[in-house]
């Protein structure tokens, strides 16, 4: 995905979408007072989905460095998903190498398995239509999207690719996956300069599958 600075302008697609919603649900029949709050906090912490480690990304000659897990939806995915992201409590982790290759994972726990499915379907639709939207919004960009199939993991994962080329000759290739485990949805994005021949598709599929199996 075009995560580097020169295509950061694509983040304009996120105008209203980067605000994340806060959900606070009171549990019926919970213990009174501070005990109820403490129990809810413990349950929430225990249920928090886990993120990929740097070693679980597609191999890179310089190795990967993982950033901290951070609240909010990452602007690094805004070029394709910014306007299509409903307000949830998103968390994300950024990864980088010493060269131009970078990656990102975003994860969200929705209210139910049905809501998780609806969100995953919406994200897949946004990615499938990303190339056409980029060309419509940015005449200087030519974009091509590809679908690389599904992965048999939990409630499933899909893998997509995107290639962009600017009028001044810059080319970028991205791989993106959307996976779901019950009510939890995770998106992984990988990107660097180049075209589809430069993308480590087989290794990325392993990463996408690991991202889902590792959630819980």
């Amino acid at each position: 995905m075009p995560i580097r600075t020169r295509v950061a302008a694509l983040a304009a697609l996120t105008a209203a979408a980067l605000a994340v919603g806060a959900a606070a649900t009171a549990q019926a029949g919970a213990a009174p007072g501070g005990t109820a709050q403490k129990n809810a906090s413990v349950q929430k912490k225990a249920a928090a989905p886990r993120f990929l480690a740097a070693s679980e990304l597609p191999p890179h000659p310089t190795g990967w460095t993982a950033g901290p897990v951070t609240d909010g939806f990452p602007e690094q995915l805004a070029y394709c998903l910014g306007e299509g992201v409903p307000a949830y409590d998103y968390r994300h982790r950024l990864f980088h190498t010493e060269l131009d290759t970078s990656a990102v994972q975003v994860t969200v726990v929705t209210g139910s398995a049905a809501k998780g499915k609806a969100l995953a379907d919406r994200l897949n639709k946004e990615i499938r239509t990303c190339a056409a939207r980029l060309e419509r919004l940015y005449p200087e960009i030519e974009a091509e999207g590809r679908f690389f199939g599904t992965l048999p993991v939990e409630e499933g994962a899909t893998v997509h690719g995107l290639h962009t080329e600017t009028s001044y000759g810059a080319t970028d290739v991205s791989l993106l996956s959307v996976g779901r485990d019950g009510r939890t949805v995770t998106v992984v994005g990988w990107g660097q300069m180049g075209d589809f021949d430069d993308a480590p598709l087989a290794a990325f599929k392993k990463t996408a599958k690991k991202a889902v199996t590792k959630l819980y």
Side-chain angles (χ1 to χ4, degrees):
M1 89 201 82
I3 296 180
R4 301 183 326 285
T5 302
R6 73 179 181 211
V7 288
L10 300 184
L13 291 174
T14 93
L18 294 183
V20 290
T25 304
Q27 294 185 348
T35 302
Q37 294 180 356
K38 182 177 180 180
N39 289 342
S41 176
V42 170
Q43 291 173 1
K44 182 177 180 181
K45 183 176 181 180
R50 294 180 296 165
F51 281 73
L52 291 167
S55 61
E56 294 165 329
L57 294 173
H60 190 275
T62 70
W64 289 92
T65 298
V69 175
T70 305
D71 291 338
F73 188 83
E75 64 178 19
Q76 286 77 9
L77 291 176
Y79 67 99
C80 264
L81 300 178
E83 292 185 340
V85 179
Y88 280 113
D89 289 328
Y90 297 94
R91 303 176 76 218
H92 69 275
R93 166 174 275 179
L94 302 180
F95 305 84
H96 69 272
T97 67
E98 293 181 12
L99 299 176
D100 70 308
T101 308
S102 53
V104 59
Q105 181 185 11
V106 59
T107 296
V108 58
V109 182
T110 67
S112 66
K115 290 182 178 180
K117 181 180 185 303
L119 176 59
D121 290 345
R122 181 167 180 176
L123 295 175
N124 276 306
K125 180 180 179 181
E126 292 294 321
I127 294 173
R128 288 195 306 269
T129 59
C130 181
R133 283 184 284 114
L134 289 180
E135 289 189 337
R136 184 174 67 250
L137 291 168
Y138 304 96
E140 72 279 9
I141 291 177
E142 292 185 4
E144 177 189 359
R146 294 185 184 180
F147 178 63
F148 291 119
T150 61
L151 301 175
V153 54
E154 299 299 341
E155 276 66 59
T158 55
V159 179
H160 307 261
L162 177 71
H163 177 254
T164 60
E165 183 172 359
T166 67
S167 58
Y168 51 87
T171 63
D172 295 273
V173 62
S174 309
L175 295 174
L176 301 107
S177 68
V178 180
R180 183 171 70 91
D181 183 355
R183 63 178 183 153
T184 303
V185 178
T186 189
V187 178
V188 180
W190 169 100
Q192 69 174 30
M193 291 190 296
D195 55 30
F196 286 119
D197 292 336
D198 302 309
L201 180 58
F204 181 80
K205 286 184 175 182
K206 292 181 181 179
T207 294
K209 190 172 183 179
K210 182 66 175 182
V212 179
T213 60
K214 190 177 181 178
L215 287 171
Y216 298 105

